[in-house]
Amino acid sequence: MDDLTVEAVGKLAEALETVERARGHLYEFHQLIGSGDAALCEAVGQLRRAGHADLADRIDRDLVGRNVLPGRWTFQIVEEFDDGYWTCFRNLERETREALLAGRRHVYEAEMKERERTVDRHGEPFPGHEATPDPDA
């Protein structure tokens, strides 16, 4: 496979890896909002017990259970992202690899590893620079 194709598919994989990290942050957001909502419910109960029913009622009415975006709780945002953008991105990255690199992943990195491995004057790798794991280990 030519270098430019390998580089392009490698860049596509890098872009997907970045989106995967963003997806993790989206799940983090989802879980943090859930934790914040649970603490909010505790605070409302504590305000009531402390004799501040009017404030507790207002917070309960205006904030507890409120959509974080119009018509959506965070689980819906996560599901829409997963079903739409993320699934499309993953499918196209896989289809591109299958079409151009016989489905092989990380070809760019594998080539870089081979170029950067340190070998002695006999072509033997220095310890820790082997091409693959020891099959006997």
Coordinates of all heavy atoms in Angstrom, one line a residue, residues 65-77 80:
G65 N -35.5 17.2 37.9 CA -36.1 16.6 36.7 C -36.1 17.4 35.5 O -36.7 17.0 34.4
R66 N -35.5 18.6 35.5 CA -35.5 19.5 34.3 C -34.7 18.9 33.2 O -33.6 18.2 33.4 CB -34.9 20.8 34.8 CG -35.0 21.9 33.7 CD -34.3 23.2 34.2 NE -34.4 24.2 33.2 CZ -35.3 25.2 33.2 NH1 -36.2 25.3 34.2 NH2 -35.3 26.1 32.2
N67 N -35.1 19.1 32.0 CA -34.3 18.7 30.8 C -33.0 19.6 30.8 O -33.0 20.8 31.1 CB -35.1 19.0 29.5 CG -36.3 18.1 29.4 OD1 -36.3 17.0 29.8 ND2 -37.4 18.6 28.8
V68 N -31.9 18.9 30.4 CA -30.7 19.7 30.3 C -30.6 20.4 29.0 O -29.9 21.4 28.8 CB -29.4 18.8 30.5 CG1 -29.4 18.3 31.9 CG2 -29.3 17.6 29.5
L69 N -31.2 19.9 28.0 CA -31.4 20.5 26.7 C -32.9 20.4 26.3 O -33.6 19.5 26.9 CB -30.6 19.8 25.6 CG -29.0 20.0 25.7 CD1 -28.3 19.2 24.6 CD2 -28.6 21.5 25.6
P70 N -33.4 21.2 25.5 CA -34.9 21.1 25.2 C -35.3 19.6 24.9 O -34.8 19.0 23.9 CB -35.0 22.0 24.0 CG -33.9 23.0 24.1 CD -32.8 22.2 24.7
G71 N -36.2 19.1 25.7 CA -36.8 17.8 25.5 C -35.8 16.6 25.8 O -36.2 15.5 25.6
R72 N -34.7 16.9 26.4 CA -33.7 15.8 26.5 C -33.0 15.8 27.9 O -32.6 16.9 28.4 CB -32.6 15.9 25.5 CG -33.0 15.7 24.1 CD -31.8 15.9 23.2 NE -32.1 15.7 21.8 CZ -32.7 16.6 21.1 NH1 -33.1 17.8 21.6 NH2 -33.0 16.4 19.8
W73 N -33.0 14.6 28.5 CA -32.1 14.4 29.6 C -30.8 13.9 29.0 O -30.7 13.6 27.8 CB -32.7 13.3 30.5 CG -33.6 13.8 31.5 CD1 -34.3 15.0 31.5 CD2 -34.0 13.2 32.8 NE1 -35.1 15.1 32.6 CE2 -34.9 14.0 33.4 CE3 -33.7 11.9 33.3 CZ2 -35.5 13.7 34.6 CZ3 -34.3 11.6 34.5 CH2 -35.2 12.5 35.2
T74 N -29.8 13.7 29.8 CA -28.4 13.4 29.3 C -28.4 12.0 28.6 O -27.7 11.8 27.7 CB -27.4 13.5 30.4 OG1 -27.7 12.6 31.4 CG2 -27.2 14.9 30.8
F75 N -29.2 11.0 29.1 CA -29.2 9.7 28.5 C -29.6 9.8 27.1 O -29.2 9.1 26.2 CB -30.0 8.7 29.3 CG -31.5 8.8 29.1 CD1 -32.2 8.1 28.1 CD2 -32.2 9.6 30.0 CE1 -33.6 8.2 28.0 CE2 -33.6 9.7 29.8 CZ -34.3 9.0 28.8
Q76 N -30.6 10.7 26.8 CA -31.1 10.9 25.4 C -30.0 11.5 24.5 O -29.9 11.1 23.3 CB -32.3 11.7 25.4 CG -33.5 11.0 26.1 CD -34.7 11.9 26.4 OE1 -34.5 12.9 27.1 NE2 -35.8 11.6 25.8
I77 N -29.2 12.4 25.1 CA -28.1 13.0 24.3 C -27.1 11.9 24.0 O -26.6 11.8 22.8 CB -27.5 14.2 25.1 CG1 -28.5 15.3 25.4 CG2 -26.2 14.7 24.4 CD1 -28.0 16.3 26.4
E80 N -28.5 9.6 21.3 CA -28.6 10.2 19.9 C -27.2 10.3 19.3 O -27.0 10.1 18.1 CB -29.2 11.6 20.0 CG -30.7 11.6 20.2 CD -31.3 12.9 20.2 OE1 -30.9 13.8 19.5 OE2 -32.3 13.1 21.0

